[in-house]
Amino acid sequence: MSEETIDMNRIPASVAIIMDGNGRWAKRRHFPRIAGHKRGMNVVEEITTEASDLGVKVLTLYAFSTENWKRPEGEVSYIMSLPSTFFNKFIPKLIKNNVRVETIGDITKLPAKTREAVDNAIEDTRNCTGMILNFALNYGSRLEILNATKNIASKVKNGTLNINDIDEDIFSNNLETSGLPDPDLLIRTSGEERISNFLLWQIAYSELVFVDKMWPEYHAEDFKQTIIDFQNRHRRFGGLVNK
Ligand code: IPE
Ligand code: IPE
Ligand code: MG
C-alpha cells in the first residue's frame, strides 16, 4: 500500500465501477459462482459506505448488464435475488448515511420480486440528500444510446425539436443518466481491461483505472488507493493545462 494519502479536496464527484470477478474469485476457492456474487454483495456495502464517507456525490455500480441474461438460469436467478437481500439488510444504514438509491437500465424486465425490492429502496431513500447510489441493472449503453436517439427523433418528427438544435447537452439529457455528472473515475476490478457496454457516452473523459483484484477482494483500503491513483493523473480534456 502506498504511503500517499488522499487529498480530501480532490475527491472525484462521480465514480462508476464495473464490479467484475465474482465468478473467478469463487472458482479459485472451489466455491460455486454464486458464492462469489454473495461475497460481492458485501463488498457493495463496504465500498458504498467508504465512498459516501469520502464525499463522493454519485456512485454508479454496474450490477447486471443487458448481456448477462445469457448466463445459466440458476446464476441469473441468484443474482436477481440479491437486491432484496441487500436492501433488507442495508436500507437503515443507507438512510442513516443519507444515501439515495437510483437505477439506470430497464428494471421493468426484472423479476417482479427484484423490481419490488428496488422500487422500495428508491422510495425509502427518496428524501436522502447525500450520495446517490446508482445501480445499473439490466443496463446496456448501446441500448441506452438507441433509446435516446429514438426519443430525439420523435421530438424532431412531432415538431417540438429542431434538428439543428440537437447538441451534446440535449443528447445527454435523453440518456438515462440525465441530470447526473459524467464519471470522473471509472474503475474495473478483475484485471479485465474492457468496458463491456457500460456508459459509453458518459466516459468520454473519465480516468480509467483497472484493478487486478477480483470484486469480492476489493476493500475500502483498495478503493482509497484507487482514488489516490486517480489523483495522480493529469486530466487535460483536450487542452494543455495540467490540472
Ligand atoms: C461480475 O462478476 C458480476 C456480474 C457480471 C453480475 P462475474 O460474474 O462477471 O465474474 P467473472 O468475471 O466471471 O469472474
Ligand atoms: C460486466 O461484466 C457487467 C457487470 C459487471 C455487471 P461481465 O463479466 O458481464 O463482462 P464481460 O463478459 O467479461 O465483458
Ligand atoms: Mg465478468
Side-chain angles (χ1 to χ4, degrees):
M1 193 63 48
S2 151
E3 299 288 306
E4 296 167 279
T5 51
I6 292 192
D7 178 350
M8 292 302 288
N9 296 316
R10 289 169 56 237
I11 296 295
S14 178
V15 177
I17 309 184
I18 303 173
M19 309 184 287
D20 195 25
N22 292 348
R24 276 165 285 170
W25 178 89
K27 200 175 166 214
R28 283 176 193 171
R29 285 159 182 78
H30 307 286
F31 296 152
R33 289 179 57 85
I34 60 170
H37 296 310
K38 188 175 181 191
R39 219 15 132 83
M41 186 190 76
N42 296 334
V43 173
V44 171
E45 172 173 349
E46 184 177 345
I47 300 300
T48 298
T49 306
E50 185 64 30
S52 161
D53 288 352
L54 286 172
V56 169
K57 303 282 183 234
V58 181
L59 178 67
T60 302
L61 299 178
Y62 205 5
F64 195 83
S65 78
T66 47
E67 287 74 34
N68 287 146
W69 297 106
K70 293 177 198 163
R71 296 186 179 201
E73 205 211 305
E75 180 172 345
V76 170
S77 66
Y78 185 78
I79 293 170
M80 289 300 155
S81 75
L82 289 177
S84 74
T85 313
F86 176 81
F87 289 125
N88 277 339
K89 189 168 156 230
F90 195 32
I91 280 290
K93 194 169 167 192
L94 288 175
I95 294 172
K96 186 172 146 274
N97 288 341
N98 202 20
V99 172
R100 192 168 92 231
V101 175
E102 287 189 6
T103 61
I104 50 174
D106 186 0
I107 59 169
T108 67
K109 301 274 165 29
L110 302 182
K113 278 196 171 158
T114 313
R115 193 174 171 193
E116 202 185 315
V118 171
D119 284 342
N120 287 342
I122 293 170
E123 179 58 28
D124 292 346
T125 60
R126 197 164 46 98
N127 296 322
C128 294
T129 55
M131 188 179 83
I132 293 172
L133 174 59
N134 185 24
F135 280 103
L137 276 168
N138 191 23
Y139 173 85
S141 185
R142 286 186 168 181
L143 183 62
E144 177 189 36
I145 289 171
L146 283 177
N147 287 336
T149 307
K150 287 181 193 171
N151 274 341
I152 291 168
S154 72
K155 285 175 202 157
V156 171
K157 193 176 172 198
N158 71 23
T160 55
L161 179 65
N162 188 319
I163 198 161
N164 294 317
D165 291 337
I166 300 171
D167 60 11
E168 291 188 10
D169 284 340
I170 288 193
F171 200 85
S172 291
N173 290 336
N174 279 277
L175 295 170
E176 294 178 61
T177 49
S178 171
L180 296 175
D182 287 341
D184 299 293
L185 167 61
L186 173 74
I187 305 165
R188 183 174 187 143
T189 57
S190 90
E192 304 295 349
E193 299 187 355
R194 58 174 170 264
I195 303 302
S196 302
N197 204 13
F198 194 41
L199 303 174
L200 299 176
W201 169 279
Q202 296 89 338
I203 61 169
Y205 271 103
S206 305
E207 292 298 326
L208 311 183
V209 177
F210 299 100
V211 179
D212 276 332
K213 289 195 174 184
M214 300 297 149
W215 178 250
E217 60 197 9
Y218 186 70
H219 295 294
E221 285 304 313
D222 302 303
F223 183 65
K224 283 195 216 162
Q225 182 58 48
T226 306
I227 291 187
I228 292 170
D229 293 348
F230 164 84
Q231 291 179 338
N232 286 330
R233 301 273 182 96
H234 296 286
R235 303 182 81 186
R236 286 190 282 270
F237 301 98
L240 292 177
V241 185
N242 281 358
K243 283 184 47 170

